[in-house]
Amino acid sequence: MGRQFFVGGNFKMNGTIKSITSIIENLNNAKLDEKTEVVIAPPALYLLLAREHLREGIEVAAQNIFDKPNGAFTGEVSAEQIRDSGIGWVLAGHSERRVILGEDDKFVASKTKAALDSGLSVILCVGETLEQREAGRTIEVVTHQLQAVANTVNDWSKIVIAYEPVWAIGTGKVATTAQAQEVHAAIRHWLSTNVSPEAAAATRILYGGSVSEKNCRELAKQEDIDGFLVGGASLKPAFVDIINSRL
């Protein structure tokens, strides 16, 4: 059975009650590809708003969780609290949290395990900087990030991997289809060798990094690209076009 196409929308620290309600209304009223799984990740303050108003079939993700179940961790939200709120997904390892907030591979792996142990599904983000790509270290960096999770997690059935080259996020630059496919194929090979052939065949690998309605269709044709994690474009009506990129 083929892997279901997946499109996630990461709103990042953007939106208000008014604007997010408008985005939700647009998604609810749009004709979306029924074969594509859709998940949106609004800021934490608006998770329940999104869950309450989204139509059935569109899921919600938290942009972040902490790796402890409860306690004196001011400002953090646990996986259990996300699950208790009816939210089924969480992002882990986004480069903005790795780079700006200093989250290392071990911490990302710990958060991923906490999410899975609580019954959440995870969009696990990996990717290299421009300096690392120019040094020819892309595959080394990405697989090192994945290995940290493999050291902690055995079951990958509720993990979706998002390859997001850091140099392409929010810059307007985008990896060529060949560059993206090359890394996606390498990730799938790594999964086969280090997790299992079954996990490699079943795990969806998304591309992220300045995905737009202009480049999504060509990217979606690639053998190992199973969808997208969309940033800025998820705040715009064009998000519907990206969801429907395989129609």
Side-chain angles (χ1 to χ4, degrees):
M1 189 175 188
R3 296 179 296 271
Q4 184 181 13
F5 203 68
F6 184 108
V7 176
N10 178 16
F11 294 4
K12 307 188 181 186
M13 199 177 70
N14 293 300
T16 61
I17 290 175
K18 182 179 179 180
S19 67
I20 290 175
T21 299
S22 177
I23 291 169
I24 290 169
E25 288 176 351
N26 184 55
L27 289 173
N28 286 346
N29 294 325
K31 183 174 176 54
L32 304 179
D33 185 352
E34 294 179 355
K35 296 180 180 179
T36 295
E37 186 169 5
V38 181
V39 178
I40 63 169
L45 194 59
Y46 306 121
L47 287 170
L48 293 179
L49 172 75
R51 181 62 285 153
E52 181 181 354
H53 293 288
L54 274 169
R55 78 188 196 197
E56 186 177 352
I58 303 176
E59 296 300 321
V60 181
Q63 294 179 17
N64 180 51
I65 59 163
F66 200 54
D67 65 340
K68 303 293 188 295
N70 52 63
F73 304 104
T74 301
E76 296 295 336
V77 178
S78 72
E80 286 83 353
Q81 290 168 330
I82 294 297
R83 186 68 182 172
D84 185 52
S85 298
I87 309 301
W89 287 83
V90 66
L91 273 65
H94 194 282
S95 66
E96 288 156 4
R97 298 198 63 87
R98 292 181 188 265
V99 174
I100 299 171
L101 298 171
E103 295 188 0
D104 61 17
D105 294 346
K106 185 176 180 180
F107 187 40
V108 172
S110 181
K111 293 204 297 185
T112 300
K113 184 177 187 304
L116 296 173
D117 288 348
S118 294
L120 299 175
S121 297
V122 178
I123 301 172
L124 173 63
C125 304
V126 297
E128 83 286 8
T129 65
L130 182 59
E131 181 182 14
Q132 289 165 337
R133 170 166 279 278
E134 291 178 341
R137 297 182 56 222
T138 294
I139 306 304
E140 173 196 343
V141 169
V142 168
T143 55
H144 188 273
Q145 292 169 343
L146 291 169
Q147 186 62 53
V149 176
N151 291 341
T152 307
V153 170
N154 293 319
D155 183 2
W156 287 63
S157 63
K158 298 187 75 172
I159 295 177
V160 172
I161 297 170
Y163 166 60
E164 296 194 303
V166 179
W167 48 272
I169 298 174
T171 62
K173 297 179 181 179
V174 62
T176 65
T177 53
Q179 286 174 324
Q181 168 58 25
E182 178 187 19
V183 179
H184 281 234
I187 291 172
R188 203 170 303 284
H189 176 74
W190 179 89
L191 284 168
S192 181
T193 303
N194 294 276
V195 181
S196 72
E198 293 76 18
T203 301
R204 290 172 291 182
I205 307 173
L206 317 179
Y207 174 76
S210 296
V211 176
S212 71
E213 73 279 13
K214 297 177 182 178
N215 58 33
C216 62
R217 292 187 182 279
E218 190 62 32
L219 287 163
K221 294 176 183 177
Q222 305 308 304
E223 180 181 358
D224 291 297
I225 295 179
D226 303 311
F228 305 110
L229 182 58
V230 185
S234 67
L235 302 167
K236 304 173 183 177
F239 187 47
V240 170
D241 298 322
I242 298 172
I243 293 170
N244 292 335
S245 57
R246 279 197 168 177
L247 286 180

mmCIF file with all atom_site columns, all heavy atoms in Angstrom, residues 168-195:
data_model
loop_
_atom_site.group_PDB
_atom_site.id
_atom_site.type_symbol
_atom_site.label_atom_id
_atom_site.label_alt_id
_atom_site.label_comp_id
_atom_site.label_asym_id
_atom_site.label_entity_id
_atom_site.label_seq_id
_atom_site.pdbx_PDB_ins_code
_atom_site.Cartn_x
_atom_site.Cartn_y
_atom_site.Cartn_z
_atom_site.occupancy
_atom_site.B_iso_or_equiv
_atom_site.pdbx_formal_charge
_atom_site.auth_seq_id
_atom_site.auth_comp_id
_atom_site.auth_asym_id
_atom_site.auth_atom_id
_atom_site.pdbx_PDB_model_num
ATOM 1   N N   . ALA A 1 168 ? 17.045 27.093 3.237  1.00 0.00 ? 168 ALA A N   1
ATOM 2   C CA  . ALA A 1 168 ? 15.887 27.326 2.366  1.00 0.00 ? 168 ALA A CA  1
ATOM 3   C C   . ALA A 1 168 ? 14.640 27.745 3.128  1.00 0.00 ? 168 ALA A C   1
ATOM 4   O O   . ALA A 1 168 ? 13.618 28.043 2.507  1.00 0.00 ? 168 ALA A O   1
ATOM 5   C CB  . ALA A 1 168 ? 15.585 26.062 1.560  1.00 0.00 ? 168 ALA A CB  1
ATOM 6   N N   . ILE A 1 169 ? 14.714 27.790 4.468  1.00 0.00 ? 169 ILE A N   1
ATOM 7   C CA  . ILE A 1 169 ? 13.524 28.096 5.257  1.00 0.00 ? 169 ILE A CA  1
ATOM 8   C C   . ILE A 1 169 ? 13.300 29.599 5.332  1.00 0.00 ? 169 ILE A C   1
ATOM 9   O O   . ILE A 1 169 ? 14.132 30.333 5.876  1.00 0.00 ? 169 ILE A O   1
ATOM 10  C CB  . ILE A 1 169 ? 13.642 27.507 6.680  1.00 0.00 ? 169 ILE A CB  1
ATOM 11  C CG1 . ILE A 1 169 ? 13.742 25.986 6.615  1.00 0.00 ? 169 ILE A CG1 1
ATOM 12  C CG2 . ILE A 1 169 ? 12.439 27.912 7.527  1.00 0.00 ? 169 ILE A CG2 1
ATOM 13  C CD1 . ILE A 1 169 ? 14.006 25.338 7.948  1.00 0.00 ? 169 ILE A CD1 1
ATOM 14  N N   . GLY A 1 170 ? 12.207 30.045 4.742  1.00 0.00 ? 170 GLY A N   1
ATOM 15  C CA  . GLY A 1 170 ? 11.848 31.458 4.813  1.00 0.00 ? 170 GLY A CA  1
ATOM 16  C C   . GLY A 1 170 ? 12.734 32.383 4.004  1.00 0.00 ? 170 GLY A C   1
ATOM 17  O O   . GLY A 1 170 ? 12.623 33.600 4.096  1.00 0.00 ? 170 GLY A O   1
ATOM 18  N N   . THR A 1 171 ? 13.606 31.806 3.168  1.00 0.00 ? 171 THR A N   1
ATOM 19  C CA  . THR A 1 171 ? 14.551 32.638 2.412  1.00 0.00 ? 171 THR A CA  1
ATOM 20  C C   . THR A 1 171 ? 14.096 32.880 0.981  1.00 0.00 ? 171 THR A C   1
ATOM 21  O O   . THR A 1 171 ? 14.631 33.744 0.299  1.00 0.00 ? 171 THR A O   1
ATOM 22  C CB  . THR A 1 171 ? 15.926 31.958 2.365  1.00 0.00 ? 171 THR A CB  1
ATOM 23  O OG1 . THR A 1 171 ? 15.796 30.703 1.673  1.00 0.00 ? 171 THR A OG1 1
ATOM 24  C CG2 . THR A 1 171 ? 16.477 31.729 3.758  1.00 0.00 ? 171 THR A CG2 1
ATOM 25  N N   . GLY A 1 172 ? 13.111 32.094 0.555  1.00 0.00 ? 172 GLY A N   1
ATOM 26  C CA  . GLY A 1 172 ? 12.709 32.164 -0.847 1.00 0.00 ? 172 GLY A CA  1
ATOM 27  C C   . GLY A 1 172 ? 13.532 31.220 -1.702 1.00 0.00 ? 172 GLY A C   1
ATOM 28  O O   . GLY A 1 172 ? 13.178 30.919 -2.842 1.00 0.00 ? 172 GLY A O   1
ATOM 29  N N   . LYS A 1 173 ? 14.664 30.734 -1.157 1.00 0.00 ? 173 LYS A N   1
ATOM 30  C CA  . LYS A 1 173 ? 15.465 29.731 -1.857 1.00 0.00 ? 173 LYS A CA  1
ATOM 31  C C   . LYS A 1 173 ? 14.814 28.377 -1.637 1.00 0.00 ? 173 LYS A C   1
ATOM 32  O O   . LYS A 1 173 ? 14.204 28.121 -0.608 1.00 0.00 ? 173 LYS A O   1
ATOM 33  C CB  . LYS A 1 173 ? 16.894 29.707 -1.308 1.00 0.00 ? 173 LYS A CB  1
ATOM 34  C CG  . LYS A 1 173 ? 17.666 30.992 -1.503 1.00 0.00 ? 173 LYS A CG  1
ATOM 35  C CD  . LYS A 1 173 ? 19.054 30.876 -0.900 1.00 0.00 ? 173 LYS A CD  1
ATOM 36  C CE  . LYS A 1 173 ? 19.831 32.167 -1.080 1.00 0.00 ? 173 LYS A CE  1
ATOM 37  N NZ  . LYS A 1 173 ? 21.190 32.074 -0.460 1.00 0.00 ? 173 LYS A NZ  1
ATOM 38  N N   . VAL A 1 174 ? 14.964 27.519 -2.598 1.00 0.00 ? 174 VAL A N   1
ATOM 39  C CA  . VAL A 1 174 ? 14.395 26.183 -2.459 1.00 0.00 ? 174 VAL A CA  1
ATOM 40  C C   . VAL A 1 174 ? 15.379 25.196 -3.062 1.00 0.00 ? 174 VAL A C   1
ATOM 41  O O   . VAL A 1 174 ? 16.039 25.490 -4.062 1.00 0.00 ? 174 VAL A O   1
ATOM 42  C CB  . VAL A 1 174 ? 13.013 26.087 -3.155 1.00 0.00 ? 174 VAL A CB  1
ATOM 43  C CG1 . VAL A 1 174 ? 13.142 26.334 -4.640 1.00 0.00 ? 174 VAL A CG1 1
ATOM 44  C CG2 . VAL A 1 174 ? 12.356 24.751 -2.884 1.00 0.00 ? 174 VAL A CG2 1
ATOM 45  N N   . ALA A 1 175 ? 15.518 24.048 -2.426 1.00 0.00 ? 175 ALA A N   1
ATOM 46  C CA  . ALA A 1 175 ? 16.354 23.004 -3.006 1.00 0.00 ? 175 ALA A CA  1
ATOM 47  C C   . ALA A 1 175 ? 15.773 22.603 -4.358 1.00 0.00 ? 175 ALA A C   1
ATOM 48  O O   . ALA A 1 175 ? 14.554 22.596 -4.549 1.00 0.00 ? 175 ALA A O   1
ATOM 49  C CB  . ALA A 1 175 ? 16.403 21.803 -2.069 1.00 0.00 ? 175 ALA A CB  1
ATOM 50  N N   . THR A 1 176 ? 16.630 22.297 -5.305 1.00 0.00 ? 176 THR A N   1
ATOM 51  C CA  . THR A 1 176 ? 16.125 21.796 -6.582 1.00 0.00 ? 176 THR A CA  1
ATOM 52  C C   . THR A 1 176 ? 15.433 20.465 -6.341 1.00 0.00 ? 176 THR A C   1
ATOM 53  O O   . THR A 1 176 ? 15.653 19.801 -5.323 1.00 0.00 ? 176 THR A O   1
ATOM 54  C CB  . THR A 1 176 ? 17.271 21.604 -7.582 1.00 0.00 ? 176 THR A CB  1
ATOM 55  O OG1 . THR A 1 176 ? 18.141 20.560 -7.098 1.00 0.00 ? 176 THR A OG1 1
ATOM 56  C CG2 . THR A 1 176 ? 18.075 22.893 -7.772 1.00 0.00 ? 176 THR A CG2 1
ATOM 57  N N   . THR A 1 177 ? 14.608 20.061 -7.279 1.00 0.00 ? 177 THR A N   1
ATOM 58  C CA  . THR A 1 177 ? 13.930 18.769 -7.117 1.00 0.00 ? 177 THR A CA  1
ATOM 59  C C   . THR A 1 177 ? 14.958 17.652 -6.982 1.00 0.00 ? 177 THR A C   1
ATOM 60  O O   . THR A 1 177 ? 14.769 16.716 -6.193 1.00 0.00 ? 177 THR A O   1
ATOM 61  C CB  . THR A 1 177 ? 12.997 18.489 -8.302 1.00 0.00 ? 177 THR A CB  1
ATOM 62  O OG1 . THR A 1 177 ? 13.726 18.633 -9.526 1.00 0.00 ? 177 THR A OG1 1
ATOM 63  C CG2 . THR A 1 177 ? 11.827 19.445 -8.312 1.00 0.00 ? 177 THR A CG2 1
ATOM 64  N N   . ALA A 1 178 ? 16.066 17.759 -7.716 1.00 0.00 ? 178 ALA A N   1
ATOM 65  C CA  . ALA A 1 178 ? 17.107 16.729 -7.646 1.00 0.00 ? 178 ALA A CA  1
ATOM 66  C C   . ALA A 1 178 ? 17.773 16.724 -6.274 1.00 0.00 ? 178 ALA A C   1
ATOM 67  O O   . ALA A 1 178 ? 18.044 15.654 -5.706 1.00 0.00 ? 178 ALA A O   1
ATOM 68  C CB  . ALA A 1 178 ? 18.142 16.955 -8.745 1.00 0.00 ? 178 ALA A CB  1
ATOM 69  N N   . GLN A 1 179 ? 18.062 17.915 -5.722 1.00 0.00 ? 179 GLN A N   1
ATOM 70  C CA  . GLN A 1 179 ? 18.675 18.003 -4.397 1.00 0.00 ? 179 GLN A CA  1
ATOM 71  C C   . GLN A 1 179 ? 17.750 17.418 -3.333 1.00 0.00 ? 179 GLN A C   1
ATOM 72  O O   . GLN A 1 179 ? 18.189 16.660 -2.460 1.00 0.00 ? 179 GLN A O   1
ATOM 73  C CB  . GLN A 1 179 ? 18.998 19.461 -4.057 1.00 0.00 ? 179 GLN A CB  1
ATOM 74  C CG  . GLN A 1 179 ? 20.185 20.045 -4.803 1.00 0.00 ? 179 GLN A CG  1
ATOM 75  C CD  . GLN A 1 179 ? 20.356 21.528 -4.528 1.00 0.00 ? 179 GLN A CD  1
ATOM 76  O OE1 . GLN A 1 179 ? 19.366 22.258 -4.380 1.00 0.00 ? 179 GLN A OE1 1
ATOM 77  N NE2 . GLN A 1 179 ? 21.598 21.981 -4.463 1.00 0.00 ? 179 GLN A NE2 1
ATOM 78  N N   . ALA A 1 180 ? 16.487 17.782 -3.400 1.00 0.00 ? 180 ALA A N   1
ATOM 79  C CA  . ALA A 1 180 ? 15.522 17.290 -2.416 1.00 0.00 ? 180 ALA A CA  1
ATOM 80  C C   . ALA A 1 180 ? 15.366 15.782 -2.520 1.00 0.00 ? 180 ALA A C   1
ATOM 81  O O   . ALA A 1 180 ? 15.430 15.063 -1.518 1.00 0.00 ? 180 ALA A O   1
ATOM 82  C CB  . ALA A 1 180 ? 14.175 17.984 -2.602 1.00 0.00 ? 180 ALA A CB  1
ATOM 83  N N   . GLN A 1 181 ? 15.186 15.276 -3.731 1.00 0.00 ? 181 GLN A N   1
ATOM 84  C CA  . GLN A 1 181 ? 15.008 13.831 -3.931 1.00 0.00 ? 181 GLN A CA  1
ATOM 85  C C   . GLN A 1 181 ? 16.238 13.059 -3.456 1.00 0.00 ? 181 GLN A C   1
ATOM 86  O O   . GLN A 1 181 ? 16.117 11.998 -2.840 1.00 0.00 ? 181 GLN A O   1
ATOM 87  C CB  . GLN A 1 181 ? 14.706 13.524 -5.392 1.00 0.00 ? 181 GLN A CB  1
ATOM 88  C CG  . GLN A 1 181 ? 14.785 12.051 -5.782 1.00 0.00 ? 181 GLN A CG  1
ATOM 89  C CD  . GLN A 1 181 ? 13.852 11.155 -4.985 1.00 0.00 ? 181 GLN A CD  1
ATOM 90  O OE1 . GLN A 1 181 ? 12.825 11.584 -4.471 1.00 0.00 ? 181 GLN A OE1 1
ATOM 91  N NE2 . GLN A 1 181 ? 14.218 9.871  -4.883 1.00 0.00 ? 181 GLN A NE2 1
ATOM 92  N N   . GLU A 1 182 ? 17.426 13.608 -3.699 1.00 0.00 ? 182 GLU A N   1
ATOM 93  C CA  . GLU A 1 182 ? 18.658 12.937 -3.276 1.00 0.00 ? 182 GLU A CA  1
ATOM 94  C C   . GLU A 1 182 ? 18.682 12.730 -1.758 1.00 0.00 ? 182 GLU A C   1
ATOM 95  O O   . GLU A 1 182 ? 19.006 11.637 -1.271 1.00 0.00 ? 182 GLU A O   1
ATOM 96  C CB  . GLU A 1 182 ? 19.879 13.758 -3.702 1.00 0.00 ? 182 GLU A CB  1
ATOM 97  C CG  . GLU A 1 182 ? 21.203 13.165 -3.250 1.00 0.00 ? 182 GLU A CG  1
ATOM 98  C CD  . GLU A 1 182 ? 22.396 14.075 -3.535 1.00 0.00 ? 182 GLU A CD  1
ATOM 99  O OE1 . GLU A 1 182 ? 22.184 15.288 -3.747 1.00 0.00 ? 182 GLU A OE1 1
ATOM 100 O OE2 . GLU A 1 182 ? 23.527 13.563 -3.523 1.00 0.00 ? 182 GLU A OE2 1
ATOM 101 N N   . VAL A 1 183 ? 18.328 13.778 -1.012 1.00 0.00 ? 183 VAL A N   1
ATOM 102 C CA  . VAL A 1 183 ? 18.354 13.671 0.449  1.00 0.00 ? 183 VAL A CA  1
ATOM 103 C C   . VAL A 1 183 ? 17.232 12.760 0.932  1.00 0.00 ? 183 VAL A C   1
ATOM 104 O O   . VAL A 1 183 ? 17.427 11.940 1.837  1.00 0.00 ? 183 VAL A O   1
ATOM 105 C CB  . VAL A 1 183 ? 18.262 15.063 1.102  1.00 0.00 ? 183 VAL A CB  1
ATOM 106 C CG1 . VAL A 1 183 ? 18.268 14.935 2.624  1.00 0.00 ? 183 VAL A CG1 1
ATOM 107 C CG2 . VAL A 1 183 ? 19.422 15.946 0.656  1.00 0.00 ? 183 VAL A CG2 1
ATOM 108 N N   . HIS A 1 184 ? 16.062 12.879 0.347  1.00 0.00 ? 184 HIS A N   1
ATOM 109 C CA  . HIS A 1 184 ? 14.943 12.016 0.743  1.00 0.00 ? 184 HIS A CA  1
ATOM 110 C C   . HIS A 1 184 ? 15.286 10.540 0.510  1.00 0.00 ? 184 HIS A C   1
ATOM 111 O O   . HIS A 1 184 ? 14.978 9.697  1.357  1.00 0.00 ? 184 HIS A O   1
ATOM 112 C CB  . HIS A 1 184 ? 13.681 12.398 -0.031 1.00 0.00 ? 184 HIS A CB  1
ATOM 113 C CG  . HIS A 1 184 ? 12.990 13.609 0.504  1.00 0.00 ? 184 HIS A CG  1
ATOM 114 N ND1 . HIS A 1 184 ? 11.662 13.612 0.858  1.00 0.00 ? 184 HIS A ND1 1
ATOM 115 C CD2 . HIS A 1 184 ? 13.446 14.852 0.763  1.00 0.00 ? 184 HIS A CD2 1
ATOM 116 C CE1 . HIS A 1 184 ? 11.323 14.817 1.309  1.00 0.00 ? 184 HIS A CE1 1
ATOM 117 N NE2 . HIS A 1 184 ? 12.402 15.586 1.250  1.00 0.00 ? 184 HIS A NE2 1
ATOM 118 N N   . ALA A 1 185 ? 15.912 10.251 -0.623 1.00 0.00 ? 185 ALA A N   1
ATOM 119 C CA  . ALA A 1 185 ? 16.304 8.868  -0.912 1.00 0.00 ? 185 ALA A CA  1
ATOM 120 C C   . ALA A 1 185 ? 17.343 8.383  0.093  1.00 0.00 ? 185 ALA A C   1
ATOM 121 O O   . ALA A 1 185 ? 17.307 7.219  0.534  1.00 0.00 ? 185 ALA A O   1
ATOM 122 C CB  . ALA A 1 185 ? 16.851 8.767  -2.335 1.00 0.00 ? 185 ALA A CB  1
ATOM 123 N N   . ALA A 1 186 ? 18.253 9.274  0.486  1.00 0.00 ? 186 ALA A N   1
ATOM 124 C CA  . ALA A 1 186 ? 19.275 8.914  1.465  1.00 0.00 ? 186 ALA A CA  1
ATOM 125 C C   . ALA A 1 186 ? 18.650 8.645  2.831  1.00 0.00 ? 186 ALA A C   1
ATOM 126 O O   . ALA A 1 186 ? 19.072 7.727  3.558  1.00 0.00 ? 186 ALA A O   1
ATOM 127 C CB  . ALA A 1 186 ? 20.323 10.026 1.566  1.00 0.00 ? 186 ALA A CB  1
ATOM 128 N N   . ILE A 1 187 ? 17.645 9.440  3.192  1.00 0.00 ? 187 ILE A N   1
ATOM 129 C CA  . ILE A 1 187 ? 16.939 9.218  4.462  1.00 0.00 ? 187 ILE A CA  1
ATOM 130 C C   . ILE A 1 187 ? 16.230 7.870  4.437  1.00 0.00 ? 187 ILE A C   1
ATOM 131 O O   . ILE A 1 187 ? 16.281 7.097  5.401  1.00 0.00 ? 187 ILE A O   1
ATOM 132 C CB  . ILE A 1 187 ? 15.938 10.362 4.731  1.00 0.00 ? 187 ILE A CB  1
ATOM 133 C CG1 . ILE A 1 187 ? 16.687 11.668 5.043  1.00 0.00 ? 187 ILE A CG1 1
ATOM 134 C CG2 . ILE A 1 187 ? 14.988 9.993  5.878  1.00 0.00 ? 187 ILE A CG2 1
ATOM 135 C CD1 . ILE A 1 187 ? 15.785 12.886 5.138  1.00 0.00 ? 187 ILE A CD1 1
ATOM 136 N N   . ARG A 1 188 ? 15.605 7.555  3.315  1.00 0.00 ? 188 ARG A N   1
ATOM 137 C CA  . ARG A 1 188 ? 14.890 6.279  3.227  1.00 0.00 ? 188 ARG A CA  1
ATOM 138 C C   . ARG A 1 188 ? 15.876 5.103  3.302  1.00 0.00 ? 188 ARG A C   1
ATOM 139 O O   . ARG A 1 188 ? 15.608 4.078  3.935  1.00 0.00 ? 188 ARG A O   1
ATOM 140 C CB  . ARG A 1 188 ? 14.049 6.203  1.946  1.00 0.00 ? 188 ARG A CB  1
ATOM 141 C CG  . ARG A 1 188 ? 12.907 5.211  2.083  1.00 0.00 ? 188 ARG A CG  1
ATOM 142 C CD  . ARG A 1 188 ? 11.906 5.281  0.941  1.00 0.00 ? 188 ARG A CD  1
ATOM 143 N NE  . ARG A 1 188 ? 11.287 6.569  0.731  1.00 0.00 ? 188 ARG A NE  1
ATOM 144 C CZ  . ARG A 1 188 ? 10.329 7.085  1.488  1.00 0.00 ? 188 ARG A CZ  1
ATOM 145 N NH1 . ARG A 1 188 ? 9.891  6.415  2.548  1.00 0.00 ? 188 ARG A NH1 1
ATOM 146 N NH2 . ARG A 1 188 ? 9.805  8.262  1.203  1.00 0.00 ? 188 ARG A NH2 1
ATOM 147 N N   . HIS A 1 189 ? 17.024 5.271  2.669  1.00 0.00 ? 189 HIS A N   1
ATOM 148 C CA  . HIS A 1 189 ? 18.056 4.232  2.749  1.00 0.00 ? 189 HIS A CA  1
ATOM 149 C C   . HIS A 1 189 ? 18.541 4.075  4.190  1.00 0.00 ? 189 HIS A C   1
ATOM 150 O O   . HIS A 1 189 ? 18.743 2.943  4.672  1.00 0.00 ? 189 HIS A O   1
ATOM 151 C CB  . HIS A 1 189 ? 19.220 4.587  1.834  1.00 0.00 ? 189 HIS A CB  1
ATOM 152 C CG  . HIS A 1 189 ? 20.368 3.625  1.919  1.00 0.00 ? 189 HIS A CG  1
ATOM 153 N ND1 . HIS A 1 189 ? 20.341 2.363  1.365  1.00 0.00 ? 189 HIS A ND1 1
ATOM 154 C CD2 . HIS A 1 189 ? 21.593 3.739  2.525  1.00 0.00 ? 189 HIS A CD2 1
ATOM 155 C CE1 . HIS A 1 189 ? 21.469 1.745  1.614  1.00 0.00 ? 189 HIS A CE1 1
ATOM 156 N NE2 . HIS A 1 189 ? 22.247 2.545  2.322  1.00 0.00 ? 189 HIS A NE2 1
ATOM 157 N N   . TRP A 1 190 ? 18.726 5.199  4.874  1.00 0.00 ? 190 TRP A N   1
ATOM 158 C CA  . TRP A 1 190 ? 19.158 5.152  6.272  1.00 0.00 ? 190 TRP A CA  1
ATOM 159 C C   . TRP A 1 190 ? 18.122 4.422  7.130  1.00 0.00 ? 190 TRP A C   1
ATOM 160 O O   . TRP A 1 190 ? 18.478 3.593  7.973  1.00 0.00 ? 190 TRP A O   1
ATOM 161 C CB  . TRP A 1 190 ? 19.373 6.570  6.809  1.00 0.00 ? 190 TRP A CB  1
ATOM 162 C CG  . TRP A 1 190 ? 19.795 6.587  8.239  1.00 0.00 ? 190 TRP A CG  1
ATOM 163 C CD1 . TRP A 1 190 ? 21.062 6.545  8.751  1.00 0.00 ? 190 TRP A CD1 1
ATOM 164 C CD2 . TRP A 1 190 ? 18.920 6.608  9.381  1.00 0.00 ? 190 TRP A CD2 1
ATOM 165 N NE1 . TRP A 1 190 ? 21.042 6.524  10.124 1.00 0.00 ? 190 TRP A NE1 1
ATOM 166 C CE2 . TRP A 1 190 ? 19.740 6.573  10.536 1.00 0.00 ? 190 TRP A CE2 1
ATOM 167 C CE3 . TRP A 1 190 ? 17.538 6.665  9.537  1.00 0.00 ? 190 TRP A CE3 1
ATOM 168 C CZ2 . TRP A 1 190 ? 19.202 6.584  11.829 1.00 0.00 ? 190 TRP A CZ2 1
ATOM 169 C CZ3 . TRP A 1 190 ? 17.007 6.664  10.819 1.00 0.00 ? 190 TRP A CZ3 1
ATOM 170 C CH2 . TRP A 1 190 ? 17.836 6.637  11.948 1.00 0.00 ? 190 TRP A CH2 1
ATOM 171 N N   . LEU A 1 191 ? 16.854 4.715  6.914  1.00 0.00 ? 191 LEU A N   1
ATOM 172 C CA  . LEU A 1 191 ? 15.791 4.037  7.652  1.00 0.00 ? 191 LEU A CA  1
ATOM 173 C C   . LEU A 1 191 ? 15.852 2.529  7.426  1.00 0.00 ? 191 LEU A C   1
ATOM 174 O O   . LEU A 1 191 ? 15.725 1.743  8.363  1.00 0.00 ? 191 LEU A O   1
ATOM 175 C CB  . LEU A 1 191 ? 14.419 4.566  7.225  1.00 0.00 ? 191 LEU A CB  1
ATOM 176 C CG  . LEU A 1 191 ? 13.990 5.932  7.747  1.00 0.00 ? 191 LEU A CG  1
ATOM 177 C CD1 . LEU A 1 191 ? 12.753 6.426  6.990  1.00 0.00 ? 191 LEU A CD1 1
ATOM 178 C CD2 . LEU A 1 191 ? 13.707 5.894  9.239  1.00 0.00 ? 191 LEU A CD2 1
ATOM 179 N N   . SER A 1 192 ? 16.052 2.126  6.182  1.00 0.00 ? 192 SER A N   1
ATOM 180 C CA  . SER A 1 192 ? 16.102 0.714  5.858  1.00 0.00 ? 192 SER A CA  1
ATOM 181 C C   . SER A 1 192 ? 17.246 0.013  6.572  1.00 0.00 ? 192 SER A C   1
ATOM 182 O O   . SER A 1 192 ? 17.101 -1.099 7.093  1.00 0.00 ? 192 SER A O   1
ATOM 183 C CB  . SER A 1 192 ? 16.238 0.525  4.341  1.00 0.00 ? 192 SER A CB  1
ATOM 184 O OG  . SER A 1 192 ? 16.264 -0.843 4.002  1.00 0.00 ? 192 SER A OG  1
ATOM 185 N N   . THR A 1 193 ? 18.385 0.694  6.623  1.00 0.00 ? 193 THR A N   1
ATOM 186 C CA  . THR A 1 193 ? 19.589 0.106  7.213  1.00 0.00 ? 193 THR A CA  1
ATOM 187 C C   . THR A 1 193 ? 19.583 0.161  8.730  1.00 0.00 ? 193 THR A C   1
ATOM 188 O O   . THR A 1 193 ? 20.020 -0.785 9.406  1.00 0.00 ? 193 THR A O   1
ATOM 189 C CB  . THR A 1 193 ? 20.841 0.834  6.688  1.00 0.00 ? 193 THR A CB  1
ATOM 190 O OG1 . THR A 1 193 ? 20.867 0.767  5.255  1.00 0.00 ? 193 THR A OG1 1
ATOM 191 C CG2 . THR A 1 193 ? 22.117 0.216  7.242  1.00 0.00 ? 193 THR A CG2 1
ATOM 192 N N   . ASN A 1 194 ? 19.066 1.260  9.304  1.00 0.00 ? 194 ASN A N   1
ATOM 193 C CA  . ASN A 1 194 ? 19.212 1.503  10.738 1.00 0.00 ? 194 ASN A CA  1
ATOM 194 C C   . ASN A 1 194 ? 17.939 1.291  11.556 1.00 0.00 ? 194 ASN A C   1
ATOM 195 O O   . ASN A 1 194 ? 18.023 1.199  12.788 1.00 0.00 ? 194 ASN A O   1
ATOM 196 C CB  . ASN A 1 194 ? 19.722 2.927  10.955 1.00 0.00 ? 194 ASN A CB  1
ATOM 197 C CG  . ASN A 1 194 ? 21.127 3.113  10.428 1.00 0.00 ? 194 ASN A CG  1
ATOM 198 O OD1 . ASN A 1 194 ? 22.104 2.811  11.091 1.00 0.00 ? 194 ASN A OD1 1
ATOM 199 N ND2 . ASN A 1 194 ? 21.226 3.609  9.194  1.00 0.00 ? 194 ASN A ND2 1
ATOM 200 N N   . VAL A 1 195 ? 16.795 1.263  10.908 1.00 0.00 ? 195 VAL A N   1
ATOM 201 C CA  . VAL A 1 195 ? 15.540 0.994  11.617 1.00 0.00 ? 195 VAL A CA  1
ATOM 202 C C   . VAL A 1 195 ? 14.994 -0.343 11.107 1.00 0.00 ? 195 VAL A C   1
ATOM 203 O O   . VAL A 1 195 ? 15.081 -1.356 11.790 1.00 0.00 ? 195 VAL A O   1
ATOM 204 C CB  . VAL A 1 195 ? 14.521 2.138  11.450 1.00 0.00 ? 195 VAL A CB  1
ATOM 205 C CG1 . VAL A 1 195 ? 13.237 1.825  12.224 1.00 0.00 ? 195 VAL A CG1 1
ATOM 206 C CG2 . VAL A 1 195 ? 15.115 3.454  11.945 1.00 0.00 ? 195 VAL A CG2 1
#
